[in-house]
Amino acid sequence: MKKWEAEQQALKEAKAKEQGMAEFEAEQEAMKTMSYLSEAQQQQYKDRASIAFMYAKPPGLDAALAKEQAAAAAKD
């Protein structure tokens, strides 16, 4: 049992490391792409990015909606 748990933990850590590396590489690629833009285009991109959070779903929204739907279905 302990061996299996250790293997699962190692897999989980490897997956997290792989995901972190993928995110880092994507960020580096975005920075490289930004370097090709003019100063005005870079500023325009930064302005858009500064308000992008307003258009993203809040954390936990999907879970809350699923919970509400389950409660509504239970009433019916």
Side-chain angles (χ1 to χ4, degrees):
M1 183 69 167
K2 288 184 181 183
K3 181 180 177 182
W4 180 81
E5 288 175 352
E7 290 173 352
Q8 294 302 313
Q9 183 66 25
L11 286 173
K12 186 177 179 181
E13 290 172 2
K15 190 177 279 188
K17 186 175 181 179
E18 185 177 310
Q19 182 181 4
M21 287 300 294
E23 289 174 5
F24 176 76
E25 289 173 4
E27 185 176 326
Q28 291 299 313
E29 185 66 30
M31 289 175 63
K32 183 178 176 182
T33 303
M34 282 286 288
S35 70
Y36 297 136
L37 299 176
S38 69
E39 286 291 323
Q41 290 172 326
Q42 286 181 12
Q43 186 61 40
Q44 185 180 21
Y45 179 81
K46 289 177 184 176
D47 291 343
R48 284 188 196 149
S50 68
I51 61 169
F53 72 93
M54 294 188 327
Y55 301 102
K57 287 187 203 178
L61 177 65
D62 292 333
L65 291 175
K67 186 176 180 181
E68 287 179 9
Q69 289 176 351
K75 285 183 180 180
D76 293 338

